[in-house]
Amino acid sequence: MQEYAREVLRIMTSQVMVSKRLFFLTASIGIAMGTAGETLDQTIEKADTALYLAKKERNSAVLYTQEMEKARTRDSIMEEDLRSALENRELELYYQPIYDVRQNCINQAEALLRWNHPELGQVSPMEFIPIAERTRLIIPITEWVLREACQKLAQWNALGINGMILSVNLSFMSFENRGDELTAFVKDSIQETGIDPASLKLEITESALMHDTDETVKVFHELKCIGVKLALDDFGTGYSSFEYMKELPLDIMKLDRSLISEIIMSEKEQMIVSTMITIIHALGLEAVVEGVETEAQYALLKKYGADYIQGFLFSKPLPAEDFVEYFHSMKGQVC
Ligand code: C2E
Ligand code: MG
Ligand code: MG
């Protein structure tokens, strides 16, 4: 059965060129086996549950199992409760330090969302961001994150932590027909908190560029005029074309951690990553490498000219107070 499904996926997956832009078509398939005594509607419902998971994985075929019901229930709880999460102050930003390789110090951080759910405990953004996007709750959530990040930067400045650059992740939805609102919101948040626009970095994932590139390019140029820094996140995981990179006024490319997971053993990975860093530099941009966990990985990436390193080797994402403590404990290495 899954053989069939894979063949269907292979046929459906294709590329189409529209107005000189390349689009990638994918499909998702949910499969369920009918059992004795079950109605057709019940079997279709099971297939729908499998399809729901296939869509999350993208471009895959998934066979229904009973365990999926539990996952689905968790998802519906989250979907229902996410609406009140902002109001109930259940969202929190963690901060992961980013290490400057050349200056030998921490001078950047990434703001990463956490949801402290009263029953489910701390929920990862990998789980709830897709739900927030599906329900469009990502719009008010992104605004909350942006305002919170700007306020945190202002607080840090007041504590004497100056020159720190803080990254915020943006969803593709903040760009889709809402570019003007996003630009206005970023401008207002900077003005209200009085921070230096260059201390705010906005990240968008490579896969988000597939949604509406023309609109994204336009909004990126408007954001650039405000003076914020712009980064392409998870580089190396999607179908980025160098054409987009030419058009987007980027400052930073963030190499995804999947590119370096085997870098110590794999000469191929070494070649790919060192070449990517060379290209990034040739484009006049800086390279951040994500997911660095060992000294050996760090040594190689330093040799290849990575400008910044983000990973558990330096620190996991930390709650705000712990971040400040970490920052102070790094005295001498902080620039
Ligand atoms: P991201 O923006 O690529 O963030 C980096 C992720 O890698 C974080 O996961 C971080 O904890 C993890 N990471 C960093 N260093 C290491 C390492 O050395 N090893 C391993 N195994 N992991 C490492 P996290 O916090 O779970 O966030 C996952 C993703 O959720 C983020 O990926 C980002 O795409 C999304 N996200 C987080 N916060 C927000 C937000 O405020 N808005 C939006 N739209 N997306 C967000
Ligand atoms: Mg990011
Ligand atoms: Mg990333």
Side-chain angles (χ1 to χ4, degrees):
M1 181 70 82
Q2 274 175 306
E3 290 278 295
Y4 263 124
R6 265 194 287 276
E7 184 59 13
V8 174
L9 282 180
R10 197 189 58 74
I11 296 165
M12 301 280 290
T13 308
S14 58
Q15 303 174 4
V16 274
M17 190 72 97
V18 182
S19 311
K20 292 199 197 153
R21 289 220 180 277
L22 197 55
F23 290 87
F24 296 86
L25 301 184
T26 58
S28 306
I29 302 176
I31 310 165
M33 312 291 274
T35 49
E38 193 173 271
T39 65
L40 182 60
D41 277 351
Q42 284 168 328
T43 313
I44 290 175
E45 211 168 287
K46 284 181 177 173
D48 207 37
T49 301
L51 176 64
Y52 176 76
L53 289 179
K55 278 188 178 164
K56 268 181 148 182
E57 285 175 23
R58 280 201 190 150
N59 202 28
S60 65
V62 172
L63 185 63
Y64 172 85
T65 62
Q66 272 199 320
E67 283 72 52
M68 285 174 188
E69 286 305 336
K70 274 192 219 146
R72 180 124 198 214
T73 314
R74 184 175 161 91
D75 260 24
S76 10
I77 293 175
M78 285 194 285
E79 187 163 332
E80 203 153 295
D81 294 352
L82 194 55
R83 288 172 207 285
S84 47
L86 266 178
E87 244 171 72
N88 297 347
R89 297 168 177 262
E90 288 165 9
L91 296 184
E92 183 182 0
L93 284 183
Y94 272 41
Y95 301 88
Q96 186 175 31
I98 301 176
Y99 190 78
D100 183 324
V101 177
R102 247 169 297 129
Q103 297 200 66
N104 220 15
C105 62
I106 302 283
N107 54 9
Q108 299 198 15
E110 177 167 13
L112 293 157
L113 252 183
R114 300 290 179 264
W115 179 12
N116 301 312
H117 189 281
E119 280 126 49
L120 303 175
Q122 192 168 73
V123 186
S124 149
M126 303 288 274
E127 261 195 288
F128 72 83
I129 294 288
I131 298 175
E133 286 174 341
R134 210 166 56 232
T135 52
R136 297 195 70 82
L137 284 168
I138 192 71
I139 307 291
I141 289 178
T142 303
E143 292 186 348
W144 179 84
V145 173
L146 272 167
R147 193 173 297 121
E148 183 80 8
C150 291
Q151 283 170 353
K152 195 52 74 188
L153 273 167
Q155 279 172 22
W156 287 345
N157 288 345
L159 287 173
I161 302 174
N162 293 304
M164 179 72 77
I165 295 176
L166 185 57
S167 286
V168 165
N169 293 283
L170 296 180
S171 160
F172 71 93
M173 279 208 161
S174 299
F175 289 84
E176 259 182 0
N177 311 316
R178 300 196 78 264
D180 292 344
E181 284 100 322
L182 174 70
T183 319
F185 195 87
V186 170
K187 219 188 245 174
D188 287 351
S189 304
I190 290 171
Q191 262 166 13
E192 273 167 28
T193 50
I195 59 161
D196 175 4
S199 62
L200 183 65
K201 191 203 300 173
L202 303 178
E203 298 187 3
I204 181 160
T205 59
E206 192 187 41
S207 51
L209 290 182
M210 286 165 65
H211 287 264
D212 185 350
T213 321
D214 290 340
E215 176 72 6
T216 310
V217 170
K218 184 181 136 251
V219 181
F220 259 60
H221 280 279
E222 286 164 7
L223 289 168
K224 186 79 188 174
C225 287
I226 301 176
V228 297
K229 296 211 180 308
L230 300 169
L232 193 64
D233 201 0
D234 300 351
F235 184 52
T237 55
Y239 298 101
S240 259
S241 108
F242 280 101
E243 174 146 358
Y244 299 154
M245 271 158 243
K246 261 187 347 202
E247 286 177 35
L248 290 169
L250 293 166
D251 301 287
I252 289 146
M253 308 282 277
K254 297 188 78 174
L255 268 60
D256 190 71
R257 86 182 138 94
S258 58
L259 291 170
I260 60 141
S261 53
E262 309 286 327
I263 200 159
I264 301 304
M265 306 298 287
S266 158
E267 275 182 33
K268 236 187 209 166
E269 264 192 18
Q270 291 171 13
M271 198 125 65
I272 291 170
V273 171
S274 65
T275 308
M276 281 171 109
I277 294 176
T278 306
I279 295 173
I280 291 168
H281 286 163
L283 288 166
L285 311 176
E286 290 186 309
V288 177
V289 183
E290 292 186 295
V292 178
E293 295 184 354
T294 66
E295 288 284 355
Q297 286 173 324
Y298 172 73
L300 259 186
L301 294 163
K302 186 175 176 179
K303 190 171 100 185
Y304 298 152
D307 302 285
Y308 298 92
I309 298 289
Q310 180 176 353
F312 295 172
L313 174 65
F314 290 101
S315 170
K316 289 195 168 172
L318 301 166
E321 315 80 67
D322 296 359
F323 178 81
V324 172
E325 218 168 275
Y326 175 86
F327 187 83
H328 288 312
S329 74
M330 296 282 288
K331 258 201 184 97
Q333 282 194 63
V334 177
C335 44

